[in-house]
Amino acid sequence: MIDLHTHTTSSDGTDSPRELVNKAIVQGLDVLGISDHDTTSGWQEATESLRGNLKLALGAEISCLTDDGISVHMLGLLFDPLHEQMQTVLEETRDGRLPRMRKMIQKMQAEGFDISIEDVEKAMPAGATMGRPHLADALVSKKIVKSRDEAFTDLLHNESRFYVSHAAPTPIEAIKLIRLAGGVAVIAHPFASRRGQILGVEDFADLVTAGLNGIEVDHRDQNPSERAVLRVIAAELDLVVTGSSDYHGTGKLNSLAENHTDKAQWEKLEAQANARRVISL
Ligand code: AMP
Ligand code: ZN
Ligand code: FE
Ligand code: FE
């Protein structure tokens, strides 16, 4: 089984990289992709935790914004973690997340919510990329909502009056950067329309010109007809088709490897990196 998109305590997942690698080994996964939001900080612990036959495809899920303000998530896998420009862009995106969180909290305070930036910091593992799920966790500990999911449904979704975006590269910039750093770029859950505005079918050609390698098709936030359209786009543009869990530990219902990637598709994807960076013992 191949699962190329998961999160750890390096961003908004609830398992440490070591715990996640252990779960993948227990479940007998062949390849585990770790793709924390805008960071590579979990790569070392994941690598040190590797045992047995599991292979690691390390990466990051890069938060992007189109010029029209549409939020897009780009998975970069198998890039050179020492690539300077990559680390600079990831760092800039992470830095933008603190003022963004302060603005969201100000908006909530203005409506009388008892929540502060300190509450969010308390709800966050040390060194994690700060995100809305940590604000959700803080709202849960203050008993304002019951779960992350309720926090997103009622207060934190992309169309919410409390929502604020943060500085981020465009999808085209992110793809070019991932490829420049030697990795492969897979657009994550492009038709997850429940989250907000999404790209149109006509937008994919420009992404391919920028170097896009694949489309995440099998993902719980995409229904069968959305997946069917994505499969057609992938076939027409000769893109790799992936499936993944987007596992976040207890932060979401998604279970590890609930969706997975075909072996032949994985081999095609892996061959498009500029060096063999899959980690195995
Ligand atoms: P941010 O990067 O701060 O904009 O937060 C986006 C993150 O929120 C994504 O990683 C999603 O996995 C997470 N998210 C979105 N909707 C939900 C939900 N209903 N329950 C839990 N997490 C969610
Ligand atoms: Zn997340
Ligand atoms: Fe995502
Ligand atoms: Fe994700």
Side-chain angles (χ1 to χ4, degrees), residues 7 12 37-38 61 63 73 97 100-101 130-133 148-150 152-153 158 163-164 166 194-195 246 248 251-252:
H7 297 267
D12 53 5
H37 298 286
D38 306 312
E61 183 175 16
S63 313
H73 287 175
R97 283 169 167 274
R100 176 264 197 144
M101 185 61 72
M130 178 185 274
R132 280 178 284 164
R148 269 192 188 183
D149 196 51
E150 187 184 324
F152 271 88
T153 306
N158 289 19
Y163 179 74
V164 177
H166 56 81
R194 211 172 59 92
R195 300 177 182 218
D246 204 356
H248 278 73
K252 274 188 160 187

Side-chain angles (χ1 to χ4, degrees), residues 161-176:
R161 62 195 184 283
F162 303 120
Y163 179 74
V164 177
S165 62
H166 56 81
T170 66
I172 288 181
E173 286 166 348
I175 292 167
K176 287 183 177 164

Side-chain angles (χ1 to χ4, degrees), residues 39-57:
T39 187
T40 59
S41 68
W43 287 25
Q44 192 183 338
E45 184 182 316
T47 304
E48 290 167 0
S49 308
L50 190 60
R51 291 177 284 117
N53 297 323
L54 181 69
K55 294 185 170 72
L56 294 177

Side-chain angles (χ1 to χ4, degrees), residues 74-101:
M74 194 63 63
L75 292 170
L77 295 171
L78 305 174
F79 58 82
D80 172 8
L82 300 177
H83 194 274
E84 265 187 51
Q85 200 185 334
M86 172 62 83
Q87 288 299 343
T88 303
V89 168
L90 294 178
E91 195 178 327
E92 282 170 359
T93 304
R94 291 197 302 272
D95 286 351
R97 283 169 167 274
L98 179 60
R100 176 264 197 144
M101 185 61 72

Side-chain angles (χ1 to χ4, degrees), residues 119-166:
D119 295 326
V120 177
E121 278 162 355
K122 253 186 268 168
M124 246 177 78
T129 301
M130 178 185 274
R132 280 178 284 164
H134 302 115
L135 173 53
D137 290 347
L139 292 166
V140 172
S141 18
K142 297 219 118 182
K143 303 209 163 39
I144 297 168
V145 294
K146 289 204 183 64
S147 66
R148 269 192 188 183
D149 196 51
E150 187 184 324
F152 271 88
T153 306
D154 294 352
L155 304 167
L156 305 181
H157 56 89
N158 289 19
E159 316 293 330
S160 151
R161 62 195 184 283
F162 303 120
Y163 179 74
V164 177
S165 62
H166 56 81

